[in-house]
């Protein structure tokens, strides 16, 4: 599974991307975030307050109950500010 | 027509590429020189390559479904930009000007809350990520149907 | 900035002449190639020299009074034009895009019912004066305050 | 007094402009139109149906009771169709 971080989430995570292999019980976005928090470090800090974070799976916005697994691309980022 | 690019764009060339249809409404957003009262030295736009293009294409498709349009062009830049530089162009050609205006405003309103770009401003106080604006969320919600 | 002229205009140059303000909304109207289902060979725009400029300046002033704008450009052509040629440009620079969009639409809506220009279309059936459209009157009345 | 005609009003009037010296009792737009109608010819035809005609005095839209006189510039034209 490929994780991407953008903007201040990237800065807090300390990296722009990483490959991870979460345990089999991680089945959705909420489970993935819980696992990343338990792992500690920059990504755990970046995902501390979910009100500030948006999630996309395979480049589409999703809610916390969206399934994840296999070779999914999961991105975490702040509310967007383009335009 | 959707493009996400680092280099500047030529407004006249973008408009010339649209089908002639009676009217074209265009919005061009530029880097402000002041933010919250503080002079801005530069702005850096980060984006999510791939998803940025997909979101813009999805918005174009939604606009085409809501209004009878002849053509749409969206160009969004990323990278480090100086005050006054162009950031984004949204252009809509349509047989009727009401549709051109409404679709153009729909696209820029929704782009601002949905397309994955993030602005970081450099001021005398250092660099800081621009926070999402409540007014932008309200402007985008006006289009919820 | 108001101009009434026979020659074409350069959209990029008109926008470059406006003060940088965050956002610019532009409307460009072009000669249609079909009118009421009939192909249009050409269009001739007659105007009232002097009063045309005065009416456009009055509309610009009204827009400046209604919205906080950084700059306005209106260019309107007259003479004989081919289908696809530009007729009019209305460009509004403003710190906030809502003001830019609303002022731009106000200006083109009111221009269409108040600025003394008249279109004559050449079709296979001969030349005829374009009639004022009920929708244009309704669009202009939306701005009555 | 200078009269101007535009678009189909000009075509019906048979001229784009003329200098006129109406009698002293012509004091407003309505009086001027009545006098032009009584004079006959192209301008009388062009001003036959006032629902189709707009009037400007010295380059400003006016109503039929607007005063006219002296060296005023009075223009007659159809509803505008620019933009």
């Amino acid at each position: 599974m490929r994780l991407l971080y953008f903007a201040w989430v990237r800065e807090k995570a300390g990296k722009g991307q990483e490959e991870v292999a979460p345990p089999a019980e991680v089945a959705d976005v909420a489970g993935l975030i819980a696992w990343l928090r338990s792992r500690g470090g920059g990504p755990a800090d970046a995902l501390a307050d979910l009100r500030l974070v948006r999630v996309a799976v395979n480049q589409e916005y999703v809610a916390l109950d969206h399934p994840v697994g296999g070779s999914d691309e999961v991105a975490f980022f702040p509310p967007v500010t383009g335009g | 027509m959707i493009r996400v690019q680092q280099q500047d764009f030529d407004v006249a060339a973008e408009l010339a590429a649209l089908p002639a249809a009676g009217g074209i409404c265009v919005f061009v957003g530029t880097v402000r020189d002041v933010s919250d009262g503080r002079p801005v030295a530069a702005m850096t736009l980060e984006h999510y390559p791939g998803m940025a293009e997909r979101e813009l294409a999805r918005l174009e498709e939604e606009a085409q479904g809501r209004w009878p349009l002849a053509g749409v062009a969206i160009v969004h830049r990323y990278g480090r930009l100086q005050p006054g530089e162009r950031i984004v162009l949204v252009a809509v050609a349509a047989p009727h000007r009401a549709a051109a205006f409404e679709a153009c405003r729909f696209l820029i309103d929704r782009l601002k809350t949905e397309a994955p770009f993030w602005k970081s401003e450099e001021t005398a106080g250092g660099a800081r990520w621009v926070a999402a604006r409540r007014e932008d969320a309200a402007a985008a919600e006006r289009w919820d149907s």
Side-chain angles (χ1 to χ4, degrees), chain A, chain B:
Chain A
M1 190 181 301
R2 190 179 189 213
L3 306 187
L4 300 176
Y5 307 103
F6 293 99
W8 64 254
V9 173
R10 171 179 55 71
E11 289 180 341
K12 267 200 168 169
K15 59 186 96 177
Q17 57 182 73
E18 60 177 323
E19 295 289 332
V20 296
E25 65 264 27
V26 167
D28 60 13
V29 171
L32 174 63
I33 290 170
W35 177 70
L36 288 168
R37 282 174 172 168
S38 73
R39 208 182 50 156
D45 293 342
L47 302 176
D49 186 348
L50 288 187
R51 291 171 305 179
L52 307 177
V53 176
R54 301 289 173 268
V55 186
V57 172
N58 299 327
Q59 307 191 348
E60 290 191 7
Y61 286 102
V62 298
L64 293 178
D65 61 355
H66 191 86
V68 293
S71 58
D72 281 344
E73 175 177 297
V74 184
F76 299 101
F77 48 78
V80 304
T81 56
Chain B
M1 192 282 301
I2 302 296
R3 280 202 335 273
V4 175
Q5 63 188 38
Q6 191 156 12
Q7 69 270 29
D8 193 13
F9 49 83
D10 176 338
V11 175
E14 302 302 338
L15 302 191
L18 285 173
I24 297 181
C25 182
V26 189
F27 180 80
V28 178
T30 53
V31 180
R32 289 159 197 254
D33 54 4
V34 172
S35 175
D36 290 343
R38 288 181 295 188
V40 174
M43 164 179 286
T44 300
L45 271 151
E46 182 169 330
H47 78 298
Y48 181 172
M51 184 171 171
E53 290 85 347
R54 283 173 69 130
E55 282 293 308
L56 296 181
R58 191 181 55 70
L59 288 175
E60 173 179 348
E61 195 180 347
E62 188 173 343
Q64 297 268 14
R66 289 175 78 145
W67 292 276
L69 308 179
V72 172
I74 307 177
V75 184
H76 203 302
R77 295 177 69 191
Y78 61 87
R80 190 162 182 271
L81 304 177
Q82 305 295 322
E85 277 199 82
R86 282 178 279 271
I87 300 169
V88 65
L89 170 136
V90 175
V92 176
H96 296 289
R97 73 182 181 286
F101 271 99
E102 285 165 28
C104 188
R105 195 163 173 184
F106 163 84
L107 285 167
I108 186 68
D109 282 351
R110 294 278 294 265
L111 181 160
K112 279 184 174 271
T113 58
E114 296 177 21
F117 293 86
W118 302 273
K119 288 175 181 148
S120 170
E121 285 174 348
E122 298 167 34
T123 66
R128 55 155 204 179
W129 291 100
V130 173
R133 294 168 66 242
R134 207 181 298 272
E135 307 93 282
D136 285 335
E141 276 165 21
R142 285 198 312 128
W143 299 105
D144 289 351
S145 56

